[in-house]
Amino acid sequence: MKRLVLGLLSLIGILSLVIVVRAVCFNSRQITVSPAARIHFDKAAASERLSRAIQFRTVSTPDSVQSSSTEFERFHEFLKEAFPRIGGQLGNETVGGHSLLYTWKGQDSALKPILLMAHMDVVPATGDGWRYPPFSGALAEGYVWGRGAMDDKAGVMAILEAAEFLLGDGFIPKRTIYLAFGHDEEIGGYRGAAKIAELLRSRGVELDFLLDEGMNIFHGVVPGISTPVALIGTAEKGYLSLQLSAETPGGHSSIPPADTAIGIVSRALSRLETRPFPSRLIGATRQMLEFLGPEMSWTNRLALANLWLFDPLVRKQLARSPLVNAVIRTTLAPTIFQAGATDNVLPTDATAVINLRLLPGDTITGAVDHVRRVINEPQVNITPLPAPIEASGVSDINSRGFRIIARTVREIFPPALVAPALLVAETDARHYAGLTKNIFRFLPILLGPEDTRRYHGNDERISIDDYERCIRFYAQLIRNSQR
Ligand SMILES: [Zn+2]
C-alpha cells in the first residue's frame, strides 16, 4: 500500500514537472523587428480618394449584375484618373466584365510573383440607421464613412495608393506583383476572381503567395490579451446548406395522426442541436493557440502549453463563446422553416434548411453522413442545396509569405501580436487555390469590440489614421516581398 502511494505521488510529481517545464519553455513566436521608417504622402488626399471610391454604387446582389454595370465603368474611369502612374506603367486588363488585373512586371522572371487582392463590389445598404448616408463617403469625426470603407474598398484603394506611391518613389520590383480586384465577391466571385485565376493559370503562373482580405487587427476582442492581435487567415471554413423535408398524408387537425410533417422535421432539428459536430483543436486554430498562448497569463500558458493533457478541458472552455466555438468545430444552424398555412389543416409537408460551416478537415460528404446519422429517421429527406464549398487547406506558417506578412505587421503596427487563424467566412482567395498553397487572408485595419458588426452592417467606417497605416502596410509589404 505504502509503495503504491509513493509510486502515485512520484507520478504526480513527474507529471507536474513536465507541465511546468513545458509552460516555461512555451516561448513567444513573435519576431522582433524595428518599426518601419515612416513614408510621407498626403493622407488627406488619400482619404478624399477613398471617399470618392465609396460614392460609386458598385453593389452586388444576385440580380444587380446588370444594373451596377455603369457604376463599375465609372469607377474604373475614376481609378485611371486617381492613379496616373499605375495607368501609365502597369499592365491593365479587364477580366470577366468588370474585374481588374494589374501586372507590375519584375526584372527577374525566375522569381515567383506575388498577388495582392481585394474586391470592388459591396453589399447593399439602405441608409436606415446610418449616421451618414452609406454612399456619401462622408469625411467626418476623423473617419471615412460608408459602404465599403472596411469591406473592401479600403483594401482596393490602399493597395493602389501604395503602388502609386512606390512608383513615384522610383521603386522597381525584381519580383512581379499582380494586383487583382474582383467585382462580384459578395455573390461568390464566380465572374471575377474565378476568371482572373483561370486567366493566370492559362498563362502558367505560379504564385509565391497571395494576400486577400479576411481577418483584421483586433483590440480588446481576444480574451486574455490586452495588446492588439493581428489574425492572419491561413484557412477558411467550407459552406453547405441542406434541405430537410418530410411528407405525410395531411388531413384534418381534429383527428391528428401520431406523426405529423412538422413534428418529424422538428424532431430532426432538435436532434441536430443536441448532438453538434465534435470540437477539435486542429489546423489554423491550434496554431493560433500556439502563437497566442505564450503571450497570456501563467494559468492560460500552463493549459495551452500542455494541450496533450488539457485538450478536452480547453475545448470545453472555448466552446462557451459562440465566436470561438465557430473555429473549433463544424457549425450547424437552422435558417429556414416552412410548413402549414391554415390553423385547422395538417400540412402534407414541412421543410427546413440548415446552414453548415465546415471545419477544414471535414468534407461535404462527411457532413451529410453525420447529419443523416444524427437524424436517424428515414422519413426525413436530406437534399444538399446547390453550390456547396469545401473547406480550404491550411496555408504553411513557415512559408516565406507568412513570414513576410508577420514581419510587416510587426513593423507597421507595433506592438501588435501576430497569429494565424481560421476565417469562418468565404473570400475570393479560394478561387486561386490552384496557383499557390500560400494563401493569406488579412486586411490591416484595427477593430475594437464594437466594430465587427459594421461589416455588412450600419455605420461602416475607417479612421483616417488607420487608413494611412493600411497604405503604409501595403507599401512595406511590397518592399519586403522583394527580398
Ligand atoms: Zn469582403
Side-chain angles (χ1 to χ4, degrees):
M1 186 66 187
K2 199 173 162 194
R3 201 180 284 165
L4 188 73
V5 171
L6 276 178
L8 217 62
L9 280 177
S10 55
L11 195 70
I12 291 171
I14 292 169
L15 204 65
S16 315
L17 193 69
V18 170
I19 291 169
V20 171
V21 167
R22 284 186 65 99
V24 170
C25 300
F26 200 26
N27 291 329
S28 176
R29 307 279 298 260
Q30 304 301 315
I31 50 168
T32 315
V33 297
S34 324
R38 216 181 178 82
I39 57 171
H40 295 283
F41 57 90
D42 186 345
K43 75 170 177 182
S47 308
E48 184 69 40
R49 283 187 286 270
L50 175 60
S51 155
R52 292 265 318 269
I54 289 169
Q55 293 168 37
F56 297 94
R57 294 173 182 253
T58 51
V59 175
S60 261
T61 61
D63 36 49
S64 69
V65 179
Q66 282 307 318
S67 57
S68 294
S69 196
T70 5
E71 288 293 303
F72 275 109
E73 280 157 20
R74 287 180 54 230
F75 183 50
H76 293 176
E77 279 308 310
F78 160 72
L79 293 180
K80 263 186 218 151
E81 250 170 66
F83 304 107
R85 294 191 190 101
I86 292 177
Q89 297 178 47
L90 267 57
N92 177 1
E93 295 167 271
T94 305
V95 184
H98 301 298
S99 286
L100 295 175
L101 173 66
Y102 295 95
T103 307
W104 196 352
K105 204 129 192 59
Q107 290 173 312
D108 187 349
S109 58
L111 296 173
K112 281 189 186 175
I114 68 157
L115 187 142
L116 303 179
M117 56 188 285
H119 63 89
M120 300 180 283
D121 61 318
V122 294
V123 292
T126 58
D128 286 345
W130 283 70
R131 200 171 171 101
Y132 302 96
F135 294 99
S136 65
L139 282 157
E141 304 170 50
Y143 291 87
V144 186
W145 300 75
R147 184 56 89 221
M150 294 156 73
D151 183 14
D152 182 24
K153 279 183 175 155
V156 174
M157 295 300 284
I159 291 170
L160 289 170
E161 292 284 351
E164 183 78 5
F165 170 83
L166 290 172
L167 285 166
D169 206 36
F171 171 80
I172 299 166
K174 278 190 300 199
R175 189 185 286 276
T176 294
I177 299 157
Y178 291 109
L179 313 179
F181 305 124
H183 73 283
D184 64 339
E185 192 273 349
E186 299 292 358
I187 47 170
Y190 297 100
R191 290 186 174 85
K195 295 287 179 232
I196 297 177
E198 207 175 290
L199 179 68
L200 292 175
R201 204 174 299 129
S202 76
R203 292 176 184 166
V205 171
E206 270 181 57
L207 298 170
D208 182 35
F209 73 89
L210 81 76
L211 179 64
D212 191 9
E213 61 159 346
M215 306 191 82
N216 309 97
I217 305 175
F218 298 95
H219 197 185
V221 176
V222 181
I225 296 188
S226 53
T227 319
V229 178
L231 294 180
I232 317 291
T234 51
E236 64 186 43
K237 289 184 101 175
Y239 187 103
L240 167 69
S241 285
L242 297 175
Q243 190 187 66
L244 313 178
S245 60
E247 286 178 29
T248 50
H252 201 278
S253 60
S254 57
I255 322 160
D259 260 347
T260 63
I262 291 178
I264 295 167
V265 175
S266 304
R267 204 154 57 222
L269 291 175
S270 158
R271 282 185 188 154
L272 288 169
E273 278 186 349
T274 50
R275 284 184 54 195
F277 281 77
S279 62
R280 280 174 295 162
L281 295 180
I282 52 166
T285 300
R286 191 177 187 100
Q287 288 170 347
M288 177 180 76
L289 298 176
E290 286 165 359
F291 270 67
L292 295 181
E295 316 299 331
M296 291 182 166
S297 68
W298 180 241
T299 341
N300 286 335
R301 284 180 63 161
L302 271 180
L304 294 175
N306 291 285
L307 285 176
W308 61 278
L309 182 64
F310 297 125
D311 181 295
L313 215 72
V314 170
R315 274 186 287 134
K316 208 168 163 191
Q317 188 68 27
L318 293 178
R320 287 192 189 155
S321 142
L323 199 70
V324 187
N325 183 50
V327 297
I328 60 173
R329 58 159 50 93
T330 290
T331 58
L332 179 156
T335 49
I336 300 175
F337 201 138
Q338 285 166 335
T342 313
D343 76 323
N344 61 357
V345 176
L346 288 168
T348 54
D349 58 78
T351 305
V353 172
I354 52 174
N355 182 238
L356 289 85
R357 303 302 176 103
L358 311 172
L359 191 71
D362 285 348
T363 61
I364 292 169
T365 325
V368 175
D369 283 349
H370 171 97
V371 167
R372 182 163 290 125
R373 238 186 355 260
V374 170
I375 293 177
N376 191 23
E377 183 121 42
Q379 275 174 284
V380 176
N381 295 310
I382 302 167
T383 322
L385 296 186
I389 302 165
E390 292 284 7
S392 76
V394 183
S395 304
D396 183 3
I397 53 168
N398 295 311
S399 63
R400 222 181 67 88
F402 185 82
R403 287 204 310 271
I404 288 168
I405 294 166
R407 159 174 291 273
T408 311
V409 169
R410 302 274 293 162
E411 286 170 339
I412 302 290
F413 298 94
L417 303 169
V418 175
L422 170 65
L423 182 66
V424 295
E426 283 70 40
T427 64
D428 261 353
R430 70 178 192 281
H431 296 295
Y432 293 78
L435 297 173
T436 177
K437 283 194 181 116
N438 305 316
I439 293 179
F440 302 102
R441 304 155 185 89
F442 173 66
L443 175 67
I445 59 175
L446 198 70
L447 303 186
E450 294 300 303
D451 292 323
T452 41
R453 61 168 178 85
R454 299 179 197 274
Y455 265 92
H456 293 199
N458 289 355
D459 288 340
E460 197 178 333
R461 67 178 192 187
I462 185 170
S463 84
I464 290 169
D465 290 340
D466 213 14
Y467 185 54
E468 181 200 6
R469 273 184 304 201
C470 193
I471 296 168
R472 288 178 56 214
F473 172 88
Y474 286 115
Q476 183 74 2
L477 183 79
I478 290 173
R479 283 211 162 108
N480 286 345
S481 74
Q482 299 294 309
R483 295 163 180 233

